[in-house]
Amino acid sequence: MPKKLVLVCLLNFFIAAVFGLLLRYAFVQPIAFNYRFLTHAHSHVAMLGWVYLMLFTLIVNYFIPDKKPIYYRLFWVTEFAVVGMLFSFPFQGYAAVSIAFSTLHIFCSYYFAYLIFKHHKTNNKVTSRLLKWALAFMLLSTIGVWCLGPAVVMLGQASAFYQIAIQFFLHFQFNGWFLLAVTAVFFHKLQLQDSKQFRLFFKFLIVATILTFALPVNWFAPHPVLVLINGFGVICQLFALYYFVIIIKPALKAFIKTQANVTKFMYGFALICFVLKMLLQSASLIPEVSNIAYQHRNFVIGFIHLTMLGVISGFLFAFLLQNSLVKHSKTLTFGMYAFILGFVLTELILLIQGGFFYFGIGLLPNYYLILFLFSILLPLGIGCFIINEVV
């Protein structure tokens, strides 16, 4: 795995974390940037510069035996698109330049999916199925992006169509492409083989991923049938979680014994967040819980960060910590624990404040300042990882 590609991904993550810190500082003191524009930059660099490119690097490293130069060229073209979004979104939001770079990234992802389908070689049905479906969900998610233009022209940004198109992209990116891809790499590392339990896990997970999209649709176009579809999807997801635990338990015990303490801790952290995400989604079976989650922004942001920072980034960090190119040191250990502490503390504050809003208590004393101070730990942790690899 080329070290410089990993460092580029980490640098993207650091920049996204700094943007997130600025967004939280904006509630403490006014900032010179448009808040909504900066939010677009933060989310795009985090998703497309950190997660997408890190998965790109891991998939090529583990599943492409003949690493042709085209993969490296494609990586840098994709990073060029990320840099373009980084320097355009904060100043203009969604406009000609940022849309052009976003479109370039989508076409790069199409070509990447084509190359992986063509060149990937593995005799393991477990990782092959997960990888193919991850890429399929990535391609599927972009339909939401292509619907945004027509939605604005025909009905406007406030329309249900526009909001559902955004949710379509986010749902199949997070729960489809990102989640299945990290699971493919995780199962590859555990060297899991095809089994009846895996096939059941896989089927339940795919069905759950598709059906649970009914929940965000129901937020903007409520209908009793959507509630039932989401309920069935949630039940499938619980079965998927049950089989997930069964199939990883024997291999995980032997695997963890060989890892350094910080790597063990990061895998444990990612797995706990994964289980927590599944259980929290299951709570949407209760209509009141689903409505509360949607109505209170703190809960929405907390859940998004649970998925992005806890599950996906947790696994990505664990994969990197296990790789021989990462040197273990006190700086690295401090950075990883700082990142996890920052994540836990900010999630707790978001949860507490969401509860305060729900019960009509109002703002937690010094809420915005506390949230900002705890958030400093996130870029600090990522920065320590980068320094560990550079120095």
Side-chain angles (χ1 to χ4, degrees), residues 3 7 14 33 50 52 77 82 92 103 148 186 192 199 208 211 219 223 284 297 302 306 308 323 337 368 382 384:
K3 188 173 181 177
L7 286 172
F14 178 77
F33 288 96
W50 159 238
Y52 175 91
V77 173
V82 172
Q92 62 171 202
T103 305
L148 291 177
F186 182 48
L192 294 180
R199 289 192 293 274
L211 296 186
W219 290 341
H223 195 283
S284 66
R297 184 174 171 80
L306 173 65
M308 269 291 289
N323 197 280
Y337 289 148
Y368 293 115
I382 302 164
C384 286

Side-chain angles (χ1 to χ4, degrees), residues 79-90 97-98 101:
E79 172 61 13
F80 172 72
V82 172
V83 172
M85 287 183 274
L86 167 65
F87 285 105
S88 56
F89 271 118
V97 177
S98 59
F101 283 115

Side-chain angles (χ1 to χ4, degrees), residues 26-332:
F27 289 93
V28 180
Q29 291 289 336
I31 58 174
F33 288 96
N34 180 294
Y35 184 88
R36 188 166 57 88
F37 293 174
L38 197 59
T39 302
H40 293 323
H42 165 69
S43 59
H44 280 77
V45 175
M47 289 176 61
L48 307 180
W50 159 238
V51 178
Y52 175 91
L53 282 177
M54 195 66 251
L55 288 173
F56 179 116
T57 306
L58 289 166
I59 288 169
V60 172
N61 182 65
Y62 291 120
F63 303 118
I64 305 297
D66 182 15
K67 295 169 180 53
K68 300 178 184 294
I70 184 61
Y71 287 102
Y72 300 101
R73 290 198 289 268
L74 182 59
F75 178 94
W76 291 113
V77 173
T78 309
E79 172 61 13
F80 172 72
V82 172
V83 172
M85 287 183 274
L86 167 65
F87 285 105
S88 56
F89 271 118
F91 301 102
Q92 62 171 202
Y94 276 105
V97 177
S98 59
I99 290 173
F101 283 115
S102 301
T103 305
L104 174 61
H105 195 289
I106 290 174
F107 285 127
C108 286
S109 72
Y110 289 168
Y111 190 45
F112 172 68
Y114 164 76
L115 290 174
I116 299 302
F117 273 114
K118 183 179 180 181
H119 296 146
H120 96 279
K121 289 182 181 178
T122 174
N123 295 322
N124 191 322
K125 290 182 180 179
V126 168
T127 52
S128 181
R129 285 178 182 176
L130 286 168
L131 181 60
K132 287 177 180 177
W133 271 91
L135 293 170
F137 279 130
M138 178 186 74
L139 297 174
L140 178 66
S141 71
T142 61
I143 293 174
V145 178
W146 297 124
C147 287
L148 291 177
V152 172
V153 172
M154 292 188 295
L155 300 168
Q157 291 190 10
S159 67
F161 180 26
Y162 181 85
Q163 297 300 327
I164 290 170
I166 292 175
Q167 293 301 322
F168 186 91
F169 172 72
L170 294 175
H171 178 82
F172 288 108
Q173 281 275 309
F174 281 77
N175 299 297
W177 156 228
F178 291 165
L179 198 61
L180 264 69
V182 296
T183 305
V185 176
F186 182 48
F187 283 10
H188 169 77
K189 287 185 172 288
L190 293 180
Q191 298 182 332
L192 294 180
Q193 299 301 314
D194 193 21
S195 65
K196 181 182 178 181
Q197 287 81 9
F198 167 74
R199 289 192 293 274
L200 287 168
F201 158 76
F202 180 74
K203 288 174 183 177
F204 279 123
L205 184 62
I206 297 301
V207 172
T209 302
I210 295 169
L211 296 186
T212 51
F213 175 59
L215 178 62
V217 174
N218 189 60
W219 290 341
F220 302 103
H223 195 283
V225 173
L226 293 171
V227 176
L228 291 174
I229 293 172
N230 176 66
F232 186 65
V234 166
I235 292 169
C236 289
Q237 188 167 261
L238 288 173
F239 277 111
L241 178 60
Y242 170 74
Y243 286 110
F244 176 82
V245 173
I246 287 177
I247 60 182
I248 71 164
K249 194 174 180 180
L252 187 62
K253 287 182 179 179
F255 173 76
I256 286 294
K257 287 179 182 177
T258 62
Q259 306 304 317
N261 287 335
V262 67
T263 310
K264 291 179 187 177
F265 193 83
M266 189 57 75
Y267 270 114
F269 165 72
L271 286 167
I272 289 170
C273 289
F274 176 76
V275 172
L276 188 58
K277 172 192 178 294
M278 294 286 208
L279 294 177
L280 286 174
Q281 275 187 286
S282 303
S284 66
L285 281 171
I286 305 169
E288 185 182 353
V289 173
S290 171
N291 291 331
I292 291 169
Y294 170 64
Q295 290 167 5
H296 295 279
R297 184 174 171 80
N298 290 67
F299 294 138
V300 174
I301 295 173
F303 186 78
I304 290 172
H305 284 178
L306 173 65
T307 306
M308 269 291 289
L309 300 179
V311 182
I312 297 165
S313 297
F315 273 117
L316 293 179
F317 273 136
F319 300 150
L320 290 177
L321 290 169
Q322 192 189 348
N323 197 280
S324 58
L325 66 83
V326 174
K327 57 179 187 276
H328 286 250
S329 66
K330 290 182 179 179
T331 303
L332 178 69

Side-chain angles (χ1 to χ4, degrees), residues 356-381:
F356 273 34
F357 282 144
Y358 174 69
F359 290 108
I361 298 173
L363 269 180
L364 187 71
N366 298 311
Y367 165 67
Y368 293 115
L369 178 61
I370 293 169
L371 188 59
F372 167 73
L373 293 174
F374 285 164
S375 300
I376 293 173
L377 291 168
L378 296 170
L380 175 64

